[in-house]
Amino acid sequence: MASSPCGSGNFDCGLEIQTRSVEQTLIPLVSQITTLINHKDKLKKTEKTLRAVQRVGQAVSVAVGRFVAVGEAIAAENEDLKDEMGLACFEARRAGTAIAQLTDVSSLQQCEVDGRSTVFSDRTGMVKAARMLLSSVTKVLVLADCIVIKQIISSRNKVLVTLEQLERVSTFQEFVQIFSQFGNEMVEFAHLTGDRQNDLKDEKKRARMAAARAVLEKCTMMLLTASKTCLRHPDCESARINKEAVFQRMRLALEQVIEIVTDTRSGGEAKALPVSIYAGIKDFKVNVGGLRDSLFCVSCEAVAAQLEALVEKTEDFTDSAYTRHEQRETIIQLCQITRQETKQLISTWRHAQQSLKAKEATDEMELSILKTCQSVSDLRRELHRVAVGRATELLKLHSDHLVLQALKASGGDGNLEAVADYAGTLTEHKEQLVETCRLLCHISGTKPLEITCIHAEETFRVIGPQIISAAQTLALHPTSKIAKENLDVFCEAWESQLCDMAILLKEINDVFEGRRGDKKTYLSLPRPGKHLKTVKAAKLDAEEQTSIAKLGLEVCLLTSDVDSEVERWDEQDHEMVRLCQIISSMAYSMYLFTRGEGLLKTTLDLFHQAEVLSDQGLQLCHILHSLSKQLLDEDRILILSETEKLSAACQQLQVCAKTPVQGKSAIFQKVDSSIQNTKGILTVVVYLLPICNKLIRKCKSERSCLASPQHCRETQQSTTVSEETLNGFGVKSLEQHMANLTFLESK
C-alpha cells in the first residue's frame, strides 16, 4: 500500500498509486490542503490572512465539485464500478463541503458568536476533512484508472479472439479478411499499452512493458508471412513449426502485458529476477560499510557468505568457453584478492570487538573496509570490461550478416545440406549472443537494463530456430516467393535485435560511467489548437510501423553517436553543443515515434517536430559559417563544404515537412522521407562535431580567436535568436497545459 503521493505520512489513502498521471493530479490538491492545515497556531488573523484562507478553501471546494461531476459521469457509464465510484464521489463532495465551511472565515467574530467551528478553532476537524477528501479523491482516481485497465484487457481479448481465428484459417481469402481486422486491433492495443507504459511509475514495469510490446511489434510481421507460407505449403512440417512458434510467442507477450497492467500473474506469485553480480556487489558494499556503525550487530559470517555467493556468480564468466584465458585468470585473481581483504576485515572486526583502544581499532576497521570495497569494485570493473568487450566483438563480427545471407542463398538453391551446415553455424552464434546477454545482465547496473538484457537473451534464443525453420521451408520449396519473403522477415528481426543490442550496450556503458541511462525527450509539440485544420492527423498501422522501425533504429544509433561526441567537448556551454543536443533529442523522439512510443502520437506531431529540427539545423549552419571565418583556407573549405551539405539536408527536411499530402500511401512516404532526411542531418553533425572541437581548441591555443570582441557579439546575437526561437516552440505552454489537465478529464 502506498501513502499519499506527496510522501506525507499524514494522508495515507490506503490505495496503491501505480501511475504518474494519478500522482500528478493529486499533488496540487495535497499542496492546497497542506497550506490550510499547516498554519501557525497563534497566526495573526488579519483581514488579508482571512481572505487568503477563505479563497483557498473555496478553490478546493469548487475544484472538488467539478472533479466529482466527472467522477459521477464515469460511474453512470460503468455499471460494475457505479456503487464504489458513487460512494467515493459522495465522500469527496461531503469533505469538500466541510472544508468550505471550516474556511468560511470572512466574519470571524460572527463565527465565534454563533459557536461555529472554523479552521482556526477546530484543527482536528480540518485534518479529518482533509483525510477524507484525499482518501476519496484518490479512490475516484484509482477507480477511473481501473477503467483504463479494463480497456487494455478488452483490447487484448479482442486480439486473442482474432488471433485464434487466424490460426485456424484455411484459405487465403479468409486470412486476408481476418488479418485486416487483426491489424486494426493491434494498432489500438499498441496505442493503449504505449500510453500505459509511459504512465507507469515503476521503472521495472515500464521495462517489462517495453519488452512485451517490442515482441508484439516484431511478431506481427512474422505472423503475416509465416501464416501465408503455411497456407501456401500446408503439408510442410518446418512451415508449421515456424508458424506455431510465432503464435505462441505473441500469446506469451499478450499475457505479460496483462500481468503488468493488473499487477498479477496467471500462474500465481511473480517470478523474481535472478540477482545480478552488480546488485550483489552493491549490497555487499553496503553491508561492509555498515560494519563501521554496527560493530556488535552485523554477523561477519553473513558478510563472508555473501561474498562467496558473489564469487559463485562469476563462474558465468570463468566457466564460459568464450572467455579468453587471461581474462579468466584475472577474474579468479581478483576474486581471491577480495576474499583475502574480506578475511582481513573480519579479523579486524573481531579484534575491534575486544579492543580497549577504540580509536586505533576504528582506524584499522576503516582501512580494512576501504580495501575490501576497492577490491570488489576492481572485480566489478573487470567483469564489465569482459562482458562489454565480448558484446562489442560479437556485434562487429555479425555486422556483415554473412551467415544469414548464406542461409538465404542455400535455401533459394534448394540445398538442404548447405542449409543444415549454416544452421549449425547460426546456432553457435545464437548461443554466443545468448550467453553474452546473460553476462551483460550481470553488469548492466539498473533493474530496467537487466530486464532489457533478459528480453534480448530470450529474443535471440527464439529467433535463431525460427530462422532455421524458415530456411528449411525455402530449401524444400526454392521457387516459393512467400517462403523467401518469410525468411527475409525473420532475418530482419535478427538484424533488428542486433541493433537493439548495440543501443543496450551504449546504455550500459552510460550507467557504468555515471552518465544518464535514459535519453530525455525534447518537448516541441505544437500548442493545443494550433494544428492545421485542413490536414488530418494519422497514426501508422502495424505493418507501416514495422517497415519504418529499422530506419528509426539507425536514427537512434546516430543520436547516441552525437551524444558521445558532445560529451568530449571541453566547452559544454558552447552554442554548437547546445544546438546539437537539441537536434539529438528531437531526432530521438522521432525514433520513439517509429516504435509507437513517446510524445509524438500522430504523423502531424512528427512533421511539426521535423520542421522545428530543420530550423535548429539551419541555426547550426549559421554558427558554422561564423566559425569558418576564423579558419585558414584548408580548414575553412572543409567546414564550408560540410555546412553546405547540412544546409541542403535541413532545407530538404523543411520542404518535406511543410508539403501537404493526402492519402495513406503519401503520408507514409512523407514519414519515411522525414526520417531519412533527419538521418542525413545527424550523419553530417556526427562528422562535424569532432572536427569543430579540434579546430576550436586549435584557434584558442594559437590565436585566441574565439575570444575576439567580434566573435562575442556574433555569439550573443546567435544566442538571442536561439532563445527567441525556442520560446516560439510552445514548450513551456505545453508543459503548463499538461500540468493543468486533470487525470479524469483526459479520459
Side-chain angles (χ1 to χ4, degrees):
M1 295 299 182
S3 59
S4 77
C6 287
S8 169
N10 294 330
F11 303 114
D12 188 353
C13 63
L15 293 167
E16 186 175 3
I17 299 170
Q18 297 195 30
T19 57
R20 289 184 283 194
S21 53
V22 171
E23 188 175 68
Q24 290 300 314
T25 305
L26 284 172
I27 287 173
L29 180 61
V30 175
S31 176
Q32 286 180 321
I33 291 176
T34 304
T35 301
L36 286 173
I37 291 176
N38 290 346
H39 64 77
K40 297 177 183 177
D41 290 334
K42 296 182 180 179
L43 183 68
K44 190 176 181 181
K45 301 176 184 64
T46 64
E47 188 178 341
K48 184 178 179 182
T49 302
L50 296 177
R51 279 202 310 268
V53 168
Q54 187 166 13
R55 190 165 57 248
V56 173
Q58 288 173 346
V60 170
S61 180
V62 171
V64 169
R66 286 200 303 263
F67 178 86
V68 167
V70 178
E72 288 171 341
I74 289 176
E77 294 172 3
N78 294 270
E79 192 65 32
D80 54 340
L81 295 175
K82 188 173 182 179
D83 293 341
E84 274 190 281
M85 183 73 89
L87 179 60
C89 288
F90 172 76
E91 290 178 349
R93 195 186 293 278
R94 189 172 67 173
T97 302
I99 289 174
Q101 290 172 350
L102 287 167
T103 54
D104 183 10
V105 290
S106 55
S107 178
L108 193 60
Q109 289 180 345
Q110 186 62 41
C111 292
E112 291 171 355
V113 170
D114 297 342
R116 182 160 58 84
S117 299
T118 67
V119 67
F120 298 107
S121 62
D122 188 7
R123 186 185 179 97
T124 303
M126 186 66 195
V127 171
K128 185 179 178 181
R131 283 180 183 276
M132 182 186 292
L133 180 60
L134 283 175
S135 176
S136 55
V137 166
T138 302
K139 190 166 186 178
V140 171
L141 288 169
V142 172
L143 287 171
D145 192 55
C146 289
I147 296 168
V148 178
I149 294 172
K150 280 176 61 183
Q151 288 176 339
I152 294 174
I153 294 172
S154 174
S155 179
R156 187 283 307 257
N157 290 341
K158 285 194 292 183
V159 169
L160 270 180
V161 169
T162 313
L163 198 64
E164 288 175 5
Q165 292 174 351
L166 278 173
E167 200 168 15
R168 293 195 303 266
V169 296
S170 55
T171 66
F172 270 104
Q173 185 178 359
E174 187 183 7
F175 174 78
V176 170
Q177 183 181 355
I178 296 174
F179 189 82
S180 176
Q181 177 188 341
F182 176 75
N184 292 331
E185 290 170 353
M186 280 300 294
V187 169
E188 178 194 357
F189 188 71
H191 286 295
L192 286 172
T193 53
D195 292 340
R196 189 67 179 180
Q197 178 186 322
N198 292 332
D199 198 24
L200 286 168
K201 283 171 58 183
D202 190 310
E203 59 180 9
K204 289 182 287 186
K205 288 183 181 178
R206 285 203 303 274
R208 288 182 63 214
M209 181 74 90
R213 293 180 70 245
V215 170
L216 292 171
E217 177 189 330
K218 292 175 181 176
C219 280
T220 300
M221 194 62 185
M222 296 178 194
L223 183 144
L224 173 63
T225 57
S227 297
K228 285 164 65 178
T229 304
C230 226
L231 286 169
R232 181 62 56 84
H233 310 289
D235 299 325
C236 183
E237 180 67 11
S238 57
R240 184 189 61 78
I241 292 171
N242 186 259
K243 172 189 163 184
E244 287 179 354
V246 176
F247 276 86
Q248 176 64 13
R249 196 159 184 238
M250 286 202 79
R251 286 194 178 92
L252 290 173
L254 288 166
E255 189 61 37
Q256 182 173 328
V257 169
I258 300 307
E259 287 172 4
I260 295 163
V261 298
T262 59
D263 204 23
T264 57
R265 270 189 177 266
S266 56
E269 290 297 315
K271 181 183 176 184
L273 288 174
V275 179
S276 66
I277 291 177
Y278 170 81
I281 287 176
K282 191 176 178 182
D283 289 342
F284 177 76
K285 288 170 75 173
V286 167
N287 288 339
V288 166
L291 288 173
R292 60 168 65 91
D293 301 319
S294 311
L295 204 58
F296 297 95
C297 303
V298 178
S299 164
C300 57
E301 288 80 9
V303 173
Q306 192 177 12
L307 176 62
E308 288 309 312
L310 268 177
V311 171
E312 186 178 343
K313 289 182 184 297
T314 63
E315 291 174 2
D316 284 347
F317 289 78
T318 55
D319 290 354
S320 169
Y322 307 111
T323 301
R324 289 197 291 270
H325 176 70
E326 63 273 14
Q327 292 175 334
R328 185 179 293 108
E329 289 299 313
T330 302
I331 293 170
I332 292 171
Q333 184 181 6
L334 287 170
C335 286
Q336 191 58 35
I337 291 171
T338 307
R339 273 197 184 107
Q340 290 170 357
E341 295 296 348
T342 305
K343 187 177 179 181
Q344 180 61 40
L345 171 62
I346 291 170
S347 174
T348 307
W349 178 81
R350 285 173 173 157
H351 175 69
Q353 284 183 309
Q354 302 166 1
S355 176
L356 299 176
K357 299 178 180 179
K359 186 180 185 309
E360 186 178 323
T362 303
D363 290 344
E364 288 180 8
M365 272 285 295
E366 187 65 31
L367 183 60
S368 290
I369 288 170
L370 291 174
K371 283 184 175 181
T372 304
C373 289
Q374 182 59 49
S375 63
V376 81
S377 294
D378 291 342
L379 175 61
R380 181 205 166 193
R381 192 175 295 107
E382 178 61 21
L383 295 174
H384 177 90
R385 190 177 69 82
V386 171
V388 169
R390 183 189 298 180
T392 304
E393 288 173 7
L394 279 178
L395 287 171
K396 188 175 180 181
L397 176 67
H398 298 314
S399 60
D400 52 13
H401 309 299
L402 289 177
V403 177
L404 299 182
Q405 291 170 15
L407 274 170
K408 290 178 186 179
S410 303
D413 293 338
N415 190 338
L416 278 168
E417 188 177 341
V419 166
D421 289 341
Y422 289 117
T425 306
L426 183 67
T427 300
E428 186 180 344
H429 289 179
K430 178 205 72 178
E431 292 301 327
Q432 289 178 348
L433 288 164
V434 164
E435 187 175 280
T436 301
C437 290
R438 196 176 303 127
L439 299 188
L440 287 174
C441 182
H442 272 308
I443 55 93
S444 56
T446 69
K447 283 292 179 185
L449 288 178
E450 283 182 26
I451 291 167
T452 307
C453 289
I454 292 168
H455 165 67
E457 178 186 340
E458 182 62 24
T459 301
F460 283 123
R461 181 179 282 112
V462 171
I463 291 184
Q466 288 179 312
I467 291 173
I468 293 169
S469 61
Q472 289 168 343
T473 303
L474 180 59
L476 291 168
H477 308 279
T479 59
S480 172
K481 290 183 179 179
I482 184 57
K484 181 180 181 301
E485 181 189 356
N486 187 46
L487 177 57
D488 287 340
V489 166
F490 281 96
C491 289
E492 284 172 10
W494 178 278
E495 293 168 13
S496 173
Q497 188 56 49
L498 287 173
C499 289
D500 287 349
M501 188 174 174
I503 296 167
L504 173 62
L505 194 60
K506 167 71 166 54
E507 291 173 343
I508 288 172
N509 269 324
D510 284 347
V511 171
F512 183 77
E513 294 170 11
R515 297 195 297 267
R516 57 191 170 93
D518 298 316
K519 187 183 286 287
K520 194 175 181 180
T521 305
Y522 188 81
L523 291 171
S524 65
L525 295 178
R527 293 175 183 174
K530 292 292 183 180
H531 286 306
L532 295 174
K533 293 182 180 178
T534 54
V535 183
K536 185 180 177 183
K539 294 181 178 180
L540 301 183
D541 63 27
E543 191 171 344
E544 289 171 338
Q545 209 128 40
T546 301
S547 62
I548 208 77
K550 188 176 180 183
L551 181 59
L553 283 170
E554 292 172 2
V555 168
C556 180
L557 289 171
L558 282 169
T559 64
S560 295
D561 292 340
V562 171
D563 293 344
S564 296
E565 291 299 338
V566 161
E567 285 168 4
R568 293 191 176 98
W569 278 57
D570 297 331
E571 295 183 58
Q572 285 296 306
D573 57 346
H574 196 282
E575 182 68 7
M576 192 179 298
V577 167
R578 191 186 66 79
L579 285 170
C580 289
Q581 287 173 332
I582 291 173
I583 289 170
S584 174
S585 292
M586 288 183 178
Y588 188 79
S589 65
M590 293 172 77
Y591 153 70
L592 290 178
F593 174 85
T594 67
R595 295 178 61 92
E597 301 171 6
L599 291 170
L600 307 182
K601 300 297 183 187
T602 67
T603 51
L604 244 175
D605 297 336
L606 179 79
F607 299 148
H608 174 81
Q609 182 83 303
E611 191 177 336
V612 177
L613 189 149
S614 65
D615 288 337
Q616 294 298 300
L618 291 171
Q619 284 191 45
L620 181 58
C621 291
H622 174 72
I623 302 296
L624 290 166
H625 274 296
S626 299
L627 174 63
S628 67
K629 294 174 183 177
Q630 304 165 38
L631 303 174
L632 299 176
D633 290 345
E634 189 177 336
D635 292 333
R636 183 166 64 247
I637 291 169
L638 173 62
I639 293 298
L640 287 174
S641 171
E642 294 301 318
T643 302
E644 285 178 14
K645 292 180 188 176
L646 179 61
S647 177
C650 291
Q651 288 168 2
Q652 199 171 352
L653 178 60
Q654 203 165 58
V655 170
C656 175
K658 289 182 177 179
T659 303
V661 293
Q662 296 292 334
K664 184 179 177 183
S665 177
I667 290 174
F668 175 70
Q669 186 59 48
K670 184 174 175 180
V671 169
D672 184 76
S673 299
S674 297
I675 297 174
Q676 286 280 12
N677 289 327
T678 300
K679 178 186 168 186
I681 290 171
L682 290 173
T683 303
V684 179
V685 170
V686 169
Y687 178 72
L688 276 170
L689 273 169
I691 295 173
C692 292
N693 190 18
K694 182 180 176 182
L695 290 173
I696 289 172
R697 283 178 183 170
K698 183 179 175 184
C699 283
K700 271 195 163 186
S701 61
E702 290 181 359
R703 295 177 291 147
S704 299
C705 292
L706 298 185
S708 66
Q710 181 185 356
H711 175 78
C712 287
R713 283 195 298 274
E714 289 174 353
T715 302
Q716 288 170 356
Q717 288 169 3
S718 66
T719 303
T720 304
V721 171
S722 301
E723 287 171 354
E724 288 172 358
T725 308
L726 274 174
N727 290 335
F729 292 165
V731 175
K732 187 174 289 187
S733 66
L734 174 70
E735 290 174 333
Q736 290 170 346
H737 175 73
M738 291 174 72
N740 291 334
L741 287 176
T742 68
F743 177 73
L744 280 178
E745 287 170 341
S746 73
K747 305 301 170 194

